[in-house]
Structure formats: C-alpha cells, structure tokens
Amino acid sequence: MPGSYDFDLLCLGSGPAGQRAAVQGAKLGRRTAIVEKGHILGGVCLDTGTIPSKTFREAVLATVGNGRLDGQSGYVTEKRPTIDQLLLRVTEVVRRECDVIHRQLDRNDVTVLWGRAAFQDAHTVVVEQDSSRRTVTAENILIAVGTRPAAPPGVSPDSDDVLEMKRLPKTLGVVGGGVIGLEYASMFSALGVSVTLVEKRERFLEFLDHEIVDELMHQMRKRNVTFRMGEAVERVELSEGPPRRAVLLLESGKRIVDDAVLFSAGRVGATAALNLPAAGLEADARGRIPVGDGFRTAVPHIYAAGDVIGYPSLAAVSSEQGRLAACAAFGVQTGPMPTHFPFGIYAIPEISMVGATEEELTRQRVPYETGVARYREIARGQILGDDSGFFKMLFHREGRQLLGVHTIGSGATELIHIGQAVLGLQGGLDYFLQTVFNYPTLAECYKVAALDAANKLAL
C-alpha cells in the first residue's frame, strides 16, 4: 500500500533534475525527499560545474576589461590576477544559490537526507553518512545522481574541480575539446595563460555549426591557444621538479610539458555505488541509465533524469526532465519534452544555437538559405566593443520557415531565445521582416540577418 512507504517520491541527487522533481512532487501534495551525498545542495551543477564555471567566466571578463578587444592581441589584460581574486565572486554566488535552493525546498516541505544512497531493493534505499545509517522506502524513486569525470590515464588527479587550483598557471594543457574543455581553455587564455588543447578528433563540437566553431578557434588562436587536433593522450606523468610540472605523452610520440593539466575527456554516470542490481537495474558501460516514456527505467516505479541518462546533459533540460518524471510518477498529463531547446557554450566568446545546422540540413537535402549579421554592423556591438560577433539564421527556401539560429559573441546565450520562441511557434522570415526591435540592441541582428536572407531569396 502507498501509505506504507516513508515517501511518495525519493530523489537521489539534488541537482537540477532531482531538485525540480522533488518540488514538483511537493506541489502535487506528495511526500517528497532528496538524498544528497555532497556537502551542499545543488549537485555538481552548483558545487563544481555550471554555476562556479560560469561565475568564474564573468570574473575573468571583468578582469580583462569586460571583454574589451584589442584588434592585434585579443582580450586586454591589464594585470595578472591571483586565483583567489578570481574565485572570490564564485564563492559568494555559490553560497547565495545554495541558500535559494534551501529556502525553496523548505517552503515546499521537501525532506533532505544527507549521505550516500544505495538500493537495498526496488523500493528501499540505504543512506549512509560517516557512521550513521538510515533505511528509507519510497513508492517512486528518481535517480538523478549526475556524472563524474572519467579518470585520466596514468595519474591520479589532484582534484575533480579545476577551480580548486592554488595558483594561476603560466601554461596549461587541456585534454579534450568538449564543451567543458573549450570553455576553460578560452577562459585561461583570456587571462594570458598559454594553453595547449589536445583533442583526438579532427573536429570538435560536431553538433555545432562549423562556421561558428571555426570562428571560435580563430579567436582562441589569437589569444595564444595551440590546438593539437587528431592527437590522443597515452598517459600523463608528473615531473619531479622543482617546480613540479605535468607531462602529456601523446600516442604520436609528442611530449607536452605544462604547469598544470585539465583533463576534460568525458564524464561517466555516477551510478557505481548505487547497487543498481538490487533494484533490478543495470547501467551501460558509461554508467548511464536507459529510460523510456516518462523517463521510466526498466523498473516502472523507478525513474531517471538529468546527465545520468546521457544526451543532451544540459542543466536546463535536466530540470525539465525531472519535472516531467515527477508528473509521470503521479499520473499527471503533460506535453512532450520540447525538441527545440537551446545550447549555450560559455566560452570566451560565448556560443549559442537552436534548431538545425547547415551540415544537418545538407545531409537531409533540405533546401535552405542563410541570413547573416555581424556585430560590427550593429550599434550595440560597437557599444560593447565586440566587432567579431557573428550571427546566422537558416530559413527554408520554399516555405521561408525558420530552421535554425547560430551565434557567437557577447550575449549569445541570451540573444538565442528570440529565435527559440519563433522556431517553437513555427514562425519564419516574414516575422523578422515585419518586427521592430529595440535600438540599440543585439536583437537587431535578427532584422539585419532577415533582410540579408530576403535579399538572397529575391535573386
């Protein structure tokens, strides 16, 4: 009987998925709880991931003159900051966000259980912290434990958190050209750190528009980033020193020596300690849990959401997945998960996209036309001192519907939401031609790019 359980919904993990699911369950009048093994609420997103890294980026931009550009050398650095100066703002923001989460959970009577969770059976979880041990039962369980970094070959890392470094290095090796690796490579290079990025693929961020990625690489090269594409790391060693340095040994025989190395070559689901077999579940080789409709696992009353289920591994999407999973658990009808969610990459400069890329449309043989705007043509771009920003929209050549929006430059992750709304409402070129945007704003890019596309379609 449902009443015999301690909780109606038990969420393993307090990141975006677990937090949102717990609050949604509480809003439906159900008894909900969260199990968190870390030292703060918010999961990796708040502890070591999204919020700290994005706040660190803002501290970097403030240090280098709020993103002012020098046409010769890239971002201007007046004075080399200390790592403590850069992290001061990070600590403050994390504390405030943690307080917000605490208040939200308290307001909604969500119980927080601190400790490491492991299944005892399909309805029972053991929560252990230090010497204490507690057993709790739940009618429904959501697995939202997120991911952890994949281990680097040949050496144990000093920390899983790049922001725990004691000093700002003069040289940095970054292994992996994924989102995290590129974000940090661009941040440290903006601070005057000489960065070498090693990526085993010939191209990175394949899901992005190639023109946008090429522009990012161009701007990063201007700030002394060296790209080693098509290279794989065989192992990492530490020199004896002094000073002690990190040595990257590549499979090609190359040897790269740096003050520090950031290993960002993928993450795996943090499911190893959950004792999934006791609940009748099994993770894949990357620790991820497969789900079906309503984010149900192979066990109908157990759900999974967030990074632990894999792509797209975005905090905003994880939050919505958690909400939908809670609704499914209690029979609340919802619409499907939106397909047009935006991607934001907080590199310097930042990148954002929504919808299809040119490469995707070409593979699908969809006839399209492009409309382009450049920040140097936009008054707001001049005001911001960003003359390298680039904005592109894709329209169907016959129906004129909007198919995708891609941008790189200041405010890209905010600018993208106009395109997301129009795409979701199945709008197209005529909307942008007829709409008036505030002046001076970056939103004018939509008008300029629309006029460019209209001129091309008229030929």
Side-chain angles (χ1 to χ4, degrees), residues 1-13 18 21-22 24-26 28-35 110-111 113 119 121-125 136-144 279 281 293-297 299-305 322-332:
M1 294 293 291
S4 64
Y5 297 112
D6 296 323
F7 298 102
D8 300 314
L9 175 64
L10 181 66
C11 302
L12 309 185
Q24 178 63 74
L28 295 173
R30 306 303 177 117
R31 299 166 301 155
T32 64
I34 284 176
V35 180
V110 175
T111 301
L113 307 173
F119 281 99
D121 59 45
H123 283 283
T124 308
V125 171
V136 294
T137 60
E139 181 182 5
N140 299 283
I141 297 174
L142 172 70
I143 301 173
L281 294 173
D293 293 342
F295 300 97
R296 282 185 171 87
T297 67
V299 180
H301 69 274
I302 299 179
Y303 302 76
R323 185 187 74 84
L324 294 176
C327 288
F330 300 121
V332 177

Coordinates of all heavy atoms in Angstrom, one line a residue, residues 1-13 18 21-22 24-26 28-35 110-111 113 119 121-125 136-144 279 281 293-297 299-305 322-332:
M1 N 0.8 -1.2 0.0 CA 0.0 0.0 0.0 C 0.9 1.2 0.0 O 1.9 1.3 0.7 CB -0.9 0.0 1.2 CG -1.9 -1.1 1.3 SD -3.1 -0.9 0.0 CE -4.0 0.5 0.6
P2 N 0.5 2.3 -0.8 CA 1.3 3.5 -0.8 C 1.5 4.1 0.5 O 2.6 4.6 0.8 CB 0.4 4.5 -1.7 CG -0.4 3.5 -2.6 CD -0.6 2.4 -1.7
G3 N 0.6 4.1 1.5 CA 0.7 4.7 2.8 C 1.8 4.0 3.6 O 2.2 4.6 4.6
S4 N 2.2 2.8 3.2 CA 3.2 2.1 4.0 C 4.7 2.6 3.7 O 5.6 2.2 4.4 CB 3.1 0.6 3.7 OG 3.4 0.3 2.4
Y5 N 4.8 3.4 2.7 CA 6.2 3.9 2.4 C 6.5 5.2 3.1 O 5.6 6.0 3.5 CB 6.3 4.2 0.9 CG 6.1 3.0 0.0 CD1 5.0 2.8 -0.8 CD2 7.0 2.0 0.0 CE1 4.8 1.7 -1.6 CE2 6.9 0.8 -0.8 CZ 5.8 0.7 -1.6 OH 5.6 -0.4 -2.4
D6 N 7.7 5.4 3.4 CA 8.1 6.7 4.0 C 7.9 7.9 3.2 O 7.5 9.0 3.7 CB 9.6 6.6 4.4 CG 10.0 5.5 5.3 OD1 9.2 5.3 6.2 OD2 11.1 4.9 5.2
F7 N 8.0 7.8 1.8 CA 7.8 8.9 0.9 C 7.1 8.4 -0.3 O 7.2 7.3 -0.7 CB 9.2 9.5 0.5 CG 10.0 10.1 1.7 CD1 11.0 9.4 2.3 CD2 9.6 11.3 2.3 CE1 11.7 9.9 3.3 CE2 10.3 11.8 3.4 CZ 11.4 11.1 3.9
D8 N 6.4 9.4 -1.0 CA 5.8 9.1 -2.2 C 6.8 9.2 -3.4 O 6.7 8.5 -4.4 CB 4.6 10.1 -2.5 CG 3.6 10.0 -1.4 OD1 3.2 8.8 -1.1 OD2 3.2 11.0 -0.9
L9 N 7.8 10.1 -3.2 CA 8.8 10.3 -4.2 C 10.2 10.5 -3.5 O 10.3 11.5 -2.7 CB 8.5 11.4 -5.2 CG 9.6 11.8 -6.2 CD1 9.8 10.6 -7.2 CD2 9.2 13.0 -7.0
L10 N 11.2 9.7 -3.8 CA 12.5 9.9 -3.3 C 13.5 10.2 -4.4 O 13.6 9.4 -5.4 CB 13.0 8.6 -2.5 CG 14.3 8.7 -1.9 CD1 14.4 9.7 -0.8 CD2 14.7 7.3 -1.4
C11 N 14.1 11.3 -4.4 CA 15.0 11.8 -5.5 C 16.5 11.6 -5.0 O 16.9 12.1 -4.0 CB 14.8 13.2 -5.8 SG 13.1 13.6 -6.3
L12 N 17.2 10.8 -5.7 CA 18.6 10.6 -5.4 C 19.4 11.6 -6.2 O 19.7 11.5 -7.4 CB 19.0 9.1 -5.8 CG 18.1 8.0 -5.3 CD1 18.7 6.7 -5.7 CD2 17.9 8.1 -3.8
G13 N 19.9 12.6 -5.5 CA 20.6 13.7 -6.1 C 19.8 15.0 -6.0 O 18.6 15.0 -6.3
G18 N 16.8 16.4 -9.8 CA 16.3 16.0 -8.6 C 15.6 17.1 -7.8 O 14.5 16.8 -7.3
A21 N 12.2 17.8 -9.6 CA 11.3 16.7 -9.4 C 10.7 16.7 -8.0 O 9.5 16.5 -7.8 CB 12.0 15.4 -9.7
A22 N 11.6 17.0 -7.0 CA 11.1 17.0 -5.7 C 10.1 18.1 -5.4 O 9.0 17.9 -4.8 CB 12.3 17.2 -4.7
Q24 N 8.2 19.6 -7.7 CA 7.0 19.3 -8.5 C 6.2 18.2 -7.7 O 4.9 18.4 -7.6 CB 7.4 18.7 -9.9 CG 6.2 18.3 -10.7 CD 5.3 19.5 -11.1 OE1 5.6 20.3 -11.9 NE2 4.1 19.6 -10.4
G25 N 6.8 17.2 -7.2 CA 6.1 16.2 -6.4 C 5.4 16.9 -5.2 O 4.2 16.6 -4.9
A26 N 6.1 17.8 -4.5 CA 5.5 18.5 -3.4 C 4.3 19.4 -3.8 O 3.3 19.5 -3.1 CB 6.6 19.3 -2.7
L28 N 2.3 18.8 -6.0 CA 1.2 17.9 -6.2 C 0.6 17.3 -4.9 O -0.2 16.4 -4.9 CB 1.6 16.7 -7.2 CG 1.9 17.2 -8.6 CD1 2.5 16.0 -9.4 CD2 0.7 17.8 -9.3
G29 N 1.2 17.7 -3.8 CA 0.7 17.3 -2.5 C 1.3 16.0 -2.0 O 0.7 15.3 -1.1
R30 N 2.4 15.6 -2.6 CA 3.0 14.3 -2.3 C 4.2 14.5 -1.3 O 4.8 15.5 -1.2 CB 3.5 13.6 -3.5 CG 2.5 13.4 -4.6 CD 1.2 12.7 -4.1 NE 0.2 12.6 -5.1 CZ -0.2 11.4 -5.6 NH1 0.3 10.3 -5.2 NH2 -1.2 11.5 -6.6
R31 N 4.5 13.4 -0.5 CA 5.6 13.4 0.4 C 6.9 13.2 -0.4 O 7.0 12.1 -0.9 CB 5.4 12.4 1.5 CG 4.2 12.6 2.4 CD 3.9 11.3 3.2 NE 3.7 10.2 2.3 CZ 3.9 8.9 2.6 NH1 4.3 8.6 3.9 NH2 3.6 7.9 1.8
T32 N 7.7 14.2 -0.4 CA 8.9 14.0 -1.2 C 10.2 14.2 -0.4 O 10.2 14.9 0.6 CB 8.9 15.0 -2.4 OG1 9.0 16.4 -1.9 CG2 7.7 14.8 -3.3
A33 N 11.3 13.6 -0.9 CA 12.6 13.8 -0.2 C 13.7 13.7 -1.2 O 13.5 13.2 -2.3 CB 12.8 12.7 0.9
I34 N 14.8 14.3 -0.8 CA 16.0 14.3 -1.6 C 17.2 13.7 -0.8 O 17.3 14.0 0.4 CB 16.4 15.7 -2.1 CG1 15.5 16.2 -3.2 CG2 17.9 15.8 -2.5 CD1 15.8 17.7 -3.6
V35 N 18.0 12.8 -1.5 CA 19.2 12.3 -0.8 C 20.4 13.0 -1.5 O 20.5 13.0 -2.8 CB 19.3 10.8 -1.0 CG1 20.6 10.3 -0.3 CG2 18.1 10.1 -0.4
V110 N 10.0 19.7 1.5 CA 10.8 18.6 0.9 C 11.9 18.2 2.0 O 12.6 19.1 2.4 CB 11.5 19.0 -0.4 CG1 12.4 17.9 -0.9 CG2 10.5 19.4 -1.5
T111 N 11.9 17.0 2.3 CA 12.9 16.5 3.3 C 14.2 16.3 2.6 O 14.3 15.7 1.5 CB 12.4 15.1 3.9 OG1 11.1 15.4 4.6 CG2 13.4 14.6 4.9
L113 N 17.9 14.4 3.0 CA 18.6 13.4 3.7 C 20.0 13.4 3.2 O 20.3 13.3 2.0 CB 18.0 12.0 3.4 CG 16.5 11.8 3.7 CD1 16.0 10.5 3.2 CD2 16.2 12.0 5.2
F119 N 20.7 1.2 -3.3 CA 19.5 0.4 -3.2 C 19.7 -0.8 -2.4 O 20.7 -1.5 -2.4 CB 19.1 0.0 -4.6 CG 18.4 1.1 -5.4 CD1 19.1 1.8 -6.4 CD2 17.1 1.4 -5.3 CE1 18.6 2.8 -7.1 CE2 16.5 2.4 -6.0 CZ 17.2 3.1 -6.9
D121 N 16.5 -2.7 -2.1 CA 15.6 -3.4 -3.1 C 15.0 -2.3 -3.9 O 15.3 -1.1 -3.8 CB 14.6 -4.3 -2.3 CG 13.7 -3.5 -1.4 OD1 13.2 -2.4 -1.7 OD2 13.5 -4.0 -0.2
A122 N 14.0 -2.7 -4.7 CA 13.4 -1.7 -5.6 C 12.7 -0.6 -5.0 O 12.4 0.5 -5.7 CB 12.5 -2.4 -6.6
H123 N 12.3 -0.7 -3.7 CA 11.6 0.4 -3.0 C 12.3 0.9 -1.8 O 11.8 1.8 -1.1 CB 10.2 -0.1 -2.6 CG 9.1 -0.2 -3.7 ND1 8.5 0.9 -4.2 CD2 8.7 -1.3 -4.3 CE1 7.7 0.6 -5.1 NE2 7.7 -0.8 -5.2
T124 N 13.5 0.4 -1.6 CA 14.2 0.7 -0.3 C 15.6 1.2 -0.7 O 16.4 0.6 -1.5 CB 14.3 -0.5 0.6 OG1 13.0 -1.1 0.8 CG2 14.9 -0.1 1.9
V125 N 16.0 2.3 0.0 CA 17.3 2.9 -0.2 C 18.0 3.1 1.2 O 17.4 3.5 2.1 CB 17.2 4.3 -0.9 CG1 18.5 5.0 -0.9 CG2 16.7 4.1 -2.3
V136 N 15.3 4.1 4.1 CA 14.1 4.8 3.8 C 13.4 4.0 2.6 O 14.1 3.4 1.8 CB 14.3 6.2 3.4 CG1 14.8 7.0 4.6 CG2 15.3 6.4 2.2
T137 N 12.1 4.1 2.6 CA 11.3 3.5 1.5 C 10.6 4.5 0.7 O 10.2 5.6 1.3 CB 10.4 2.4 2.1 OG1 9.5 3.1 3.0 CG2 11.1 1.3 2.8
A138 N 10.3 4.2 -0.5 CA 9.5 5.2 -1.3 C 8.7 4.4 -2.4 O 9.1 3.4 -2.9 CB 10.5 6.2 -2.0
E139 N 7.5 5.0 -2.7 CA 6.7 4.4 -3.7 C 7.3 4.6 -5.1 O 7.3 3.7 -5.9 CB 5.3 5.0 -3.6 CG 4.3 4.5 -4.7 CD 3.0 5.2 -4.7 OE1 2.8 6.1 -3.9 OE2 2.1 4.7 -5.4
N140 N 7.9 5.8 -5.3 CA 8.5 6.1 -6.5 C 9.9 6.6 -6.2 O 10.1 7.4 -5.2 CB 7.8 7.2 -7.3 CG 6.4 6.7 -7.7 OD1 6.2 5.9 -8.6 ND2 5.4 7.2 -7.0
I141 N 10.9 6.3 -7.1 CA 12.3 6.8 -6.9 C 12.8 7.4 -8.2 O 12.6 6.8 -9.3 CB 13.2 5.6 -6.4 CG1 12.7 5.1 -5.1 CG2 14.6 6.1 -6.3 CD1 13.4 3.8 -4.6
L142 N 13.4 8.5 -8.1 CA 14.1 9.1 -9.2 C 15.6 9.1 -9.0 O 16.1 9.6 -8.0 CB 13.6 10.6 -9.4 CG 14.4 11.4 -10.4 CD1 14.0 10.9 -11.8 CD2 14.1 12.9 -10.3
I143 N 16.3 8.6 -10.0 CA 17.7 8.6 -10.0 C 18.2 9.8 -10.8 O 18.0 9.9 -12.0 CB 18.3 7.3 -10.6 CG1 17.8 6.0 -9.9 CG2 19.8 7.3 -10.6 CD1 18.2 4.7 -10.5
A144 N 18.8 10.7 -10.1 CA 19.3 12.0 -10.7 C 20.7 12.3 -10.1 O 20.9 13.4 -9.6 CB 18.3 13.1 -10.4
A279 N 18.0 -3.2 -7.3 CA 16.7 -2.7 -7.7 C 16.2 -3.2 -9.0 O 15.2 -2.8 -9.5 CB 16.8 -1.2 -7.8
L281 N 18.1 -3.0 -11.9 CA 18.5 -2.1 -12.9 C 20.0 -2.4 -13.3 O 20.7 -3.0 -12.5 CB 18.4 -0.7 -12.5 CG 17.0 -0.2 -12.3 CD1 17.0 1.2 -11.7 CD2 16.2 -0.2 -13.6
D293 N 9.5 6.2 -22.1 CA 8.5 7.3 -22.0 C 8.3 7.7 -20.5 O 8.3 6.8 -19.6 CB 7.1 6.8 -22.5 CG 7.2 6.6 -24.0 OD1 8.1 7.1 -24.7 OD2 6.3 5.9 -24.6
G294 N 8.2 9.0 -20.3 CA 8.0 9.5 -18.9 C 9.3 9.3 -18.1 O 9.2 9.4 -16.9
F295 N 10.4 9.0 -18.7 CA 11.7 8.8 -18.1 C 11.7 7.7 -17.1 O 12.4 7.6 -16.1 CB 12.1 10.1 -17.3 CG 12.3 11.3 -18.3 CD1 11.2 12.2 -18.5 CD2 13.4 11.5 -19.0 CE1 11.3 13.2 -19.4 CE2 13.5 12.5 -20.0 CZ 12.5 13.4 -20.1
R296 N 10.9 6.7 -17.4 CA 10.8 5.4 -16.7 C 12.0 4.5 -17.1 O 12.3 4.4 -18.2 CB 9.5 4.7 -16.9 CG 8.3 5.2 -16.2 CD 7.1 4.3 -16.4 NE 6.0 4.7 -15.5 CZ 5.1 5.7 -15.8 NH1 5.2 6.3 -17.0 NH2 4.1 6.0 -15.0
T297 N 12.5 3.9 -16.1 CA 13.6 2.9 -16.3 C 12.9 1.5 -16.6 O 11.7 1.4 -16.7 CB 14.5 2.8 -15.1 OG1 13.8 2.2 -14.0 CG2 15.1 4.1 -14.7
V299 N 12.4 -0.7 -14.5 CA 11.6 -0.9 -13.3 C 10.5 0.2 -13.3 O 10.9 1.4 -13.1 CB 12.4 -0.9 -12.0 CG1 11.4 -1.2 -10.8 CG2 13.4 -2.0 -12.1
P300 N 9.2 0.0 -13.5 CA 8.3 1.0 -13.8 C 8.2 2.1 -12.8 O 7.8 3.3 -13.1 CB 6.9 0.2 -13.9 CG 7.3 -1.2 -14.3 CD 8.7 -1.4 -13.6
H301 N 8.4 1.9 -11.5 CA 8.3 2.9 -10.5 C 9.6 3.7 -10.2 O 9.6 4.5 -9.4 CB 7.7 2.4 -9.2 CG 8.7 1.5 -8.5 ND1 8.7 0.1 -8.7 CD2 9.6 1.7 -7.5 CE1 9.7 -0.4 -8.0 NE2 10.2 0.6 -7.2
I302 N 10.6 3.3 -10.9 CA 11.9 4.0 -10.8 C 12.2 4.8 -12.1 O 12.1 4.2 -13.2 CB 13.1 3.0 -10.6 CG1 12.8 2.2 -9.3 CG2 14.4 3.7 -10.5 CD1 13.9 1.2 -8.9
Y303 N 12.5 6.0 -11.9 CA 12.7 7.0 -13.0 C 14.2 7.4 -13.0 O 14.9 7.3 -12.0 CB 11.8 8.2 -12.9 CG 10.3 7.8 -12.9 CD1 9.7 7.2 -11.7 CD2 9.5 7.9 -14.0 CE1 8.4 6.9 -11.7 CE2 8.2 7.6 -14.0 CZ 7.6 7.0 -12.8 OH 6.3 6.7 -12.8
A304 N 14.6 8.0 -14.1 CA 16.0 8.6 -14.1 C 15.9 9.8 -15.0 O 15.2 9.9 -16.0 CB 17.0 7.6 -14.7
A305 N 16.6 10.9 -14.6 CA 16.6 12.1 -15.4 C 17.9 12.8 -15.2 O 18.7 12.6 -14.2 CB 15.4 13.0 -14.9
G322 N 13.3 16.3 -14.9 CA 12.9 16.0 -13.6 C 11.5 16.3 -13.3 O 10.7 15.5 -12.7
R323 N 11.0 17.5 -13.8 CA 9.6 17.8 -13.6 C 8.7 16.9 -14.3 O 7.7 16.4 -13.7 CB 9.4 19.3 -14.1 CG 8.0 19.8 -13.9 CD 7.7 21.1 -14.6 NE 7.6 20.9 -16.0 CZ 6.4 20.6 -16.6 NH1 5.3 20.4 -15.9 NH2 6.3 20.5 -17.9
L324 N 9.0 16.5 -15.5 CA 8.2 15.6 -16.3 C 8.2 14.2 -15.7 O 7.2 13.5 -15.7 CB 8.7 15.5 -17.7 CG 8.5 16.8 -18.6 CD1 9.1 16.7 -19.9 CD2 7.0 17.2 -18.7
A325 N 9.3 13.8 -15.1 CA 9.4 12.5 -14.5 C 8.5 12.4 -13.2 O 7.7 11.4 -13.0 CB 10.8 12.1 -14.1
A326 N 8.5 13.5 -12.5 CA 7.6 13.6 -11.3 C 6.1 13.5 -11.7 O 5.3 12.9 -11.1 CB 7.9 14.8 -10.5
C327 N 5.8 14.3 -12.8 CA 4.4 14.2 -13.3 C 4.0 12.9 -13.7 O 2.9 12.4 -13.4 CB 4.3 15.3 -14.4 SG 4.3 17.0 -13.9
A328 N 4.9 12.2 -14.4 CA 4.6 10.8 -14.9 C 4.4 9.9 -13.7 O 3.5 9.0 -13.7 CB 5.8 10.3 -15.8
A329 N 5.2 10.1 -12.7 CA 5.1 9.2 -11.5 C 3.7 9.3 -10.8 O 3.2 8.3 -10.3 CB 6.2 9.5 -10.5
F330 N 3.1 10.4 -10.9 CA 1.8 10.6 -10.2 C 0.6 10.8 -11.2 O -0.4 11.3 -10.9 CB 1.9 11.8 -9.3 CG 3.0 11.7 -8.2 CD1 4.0 12.6 -8.1 CD2 2.9 10.6 -7.4 CE1 5.0 12.4 -7.2 CE2 3.9 10.4 -6.4 CZ 4.9 11.3 -6.3
G331 N 0.9 10.3 -12.5 CA -0.2 10.3 -13.4 C -0.7 11.6 -13.9 O -1.9 11.7 -14.4
V332 N 0.1 12.6 -13.8 CA -0.3 14.0 -14.3 C 0.1 14.1 -15.8 O 1.3 13.9 -16.2 CB 0.4 15.1 -13.5 CG1 0.1 16.5 -14.1 CG2 0.0 15.0 -12.1

